[in-house]
Amino acid sequence: MAFHFKWESIRHLREQKRQQAQWKYTETLKKLEEVETKLAEFAEKVQQAAGSNQPAADRTVTAQKLQDADQYIALTREAARQYEVERDQLRRQAQIEQKQLKEWRISEEILNKLREADFAEYRQEEKRKEQLLTDEVAVQHYGRTAGGGVP
């Protein structure tokens, strides 16, 4: 008789759920990394624009150029703020998904341990059956004696 774990279908479904949760969490972390990269790029752009806004001694700066630079800096900062909001949302989402992933892992581990315990019990039962068969063969081959010894 082959071993059959009675909760195998549930264990398999939980394994799939854990894999899905792992995938979602990984995707969220990738998105978060992309947003943080963009934030760093925007911070660098703002810093460069602010630095280029300073007039050099040999360069003349018009009021229009200063306004354009200030407007560029303001728009860049606004875009950075939007990425900061997105980053914060992704961080919260990543925390939630990490918690869900942990719950699915625990659930899967519990069923795996239950499966291992059931399999150990199954092996013990198979050993007991095999010993009973061996004993029966020995009794049939040597016969039963009244004293319990060998004739």
Side-chain angles (χ1 to χ4, degrees):
M1 182 171 112
F3 174 70
H4 176 71
F5 181 52
K6 61 185 173 185
W7 302 107
E8 186 63 32
S9 59
I10 293 172
R11 191 195 68 77
H12 181 69
L13 287 172
R14 289 190 181 170
E15 179 182 17
Q16 287 178 333
K17 290 287 190 180
R18 191 231 354 117
Q19 289 172 346
Q20 289 172 351
Q22 178 70 47
W23 181 82
K24 280 178 64 177
Y25 180 61
T26 302
E27 289 299 310
T28 300
L29 290 179
K30 285 179 186 176
K31 289 177 187 175
L32 181 60
E33 185 177 332
E34 290 170 6
V35 167
E36 287 178 343
T37 300
K38 287 182 181 184
L39 269 172
E41 290 171 1
F42 275 104
E44 187 177 324
K45 285 180 182 181
V46 167
Q47 192 174 27
Q48 287 174 354
S52 68
N53 203 9
Q54 302 297 323
D58 61 342
R59 203 172 74 185
T60 59
V61 179
T62 64
Q64 183 61 39
K65 284 183 181 179
L66 286 174
Q67 283 179 334
D68 291 346
D70 286 343
Q71 185 178 11
Y72 174 77
I73 291 171
L75 290 172
T76 305
R77 284 184 177 153
E78 179 58 33
R81 275 194 231 54
Q82 290 173 357
Y83 277 114
E84 287 172 351
V85 168
E86 185 178 355
R87 178 199 59 200
D88 294 343
Q89 289 172 344
L90 286 170
R91 282 182 178 171
R92 285 190 295 277
Q93 183 178 348
Q95 288 175 342
I96 291 168
E97 289 173 0
Q98 184 180 33
K99 182 181 176 186
Q100 289 173 342
L101 176 60
K102 184 178 178 182
E103 290 171 0
W104 284 116
R105 280 185 180 154
I106 290 170
S107 175
E108 185 181 11
E109 286 175 16
I110 289 170
L111 281 172
N112 285 338
K113 287 179 183 180
L114 183 59
R115 184 179 190 270
E116 290 171 13
D118 281 1
F119 184 68
E121 188 178 308
Y122 165 79
R123 287 183 49 128
Q124 284 294 102
E125 182 62 23
E126 289 297 307
K127 283 182 183 180
R128 186 187 69 74
K129 288 177 184 177
E130 187 177 316
Q131 185 61 46
L132 286 174
L133 285 173
T134 303
D135 291 349
E136 185 61 33
V137 168
V139 166
Q140 288 177 0
H141 184 265
Y142 296 108
R144 297 181 197 261
T145 60
V150 178

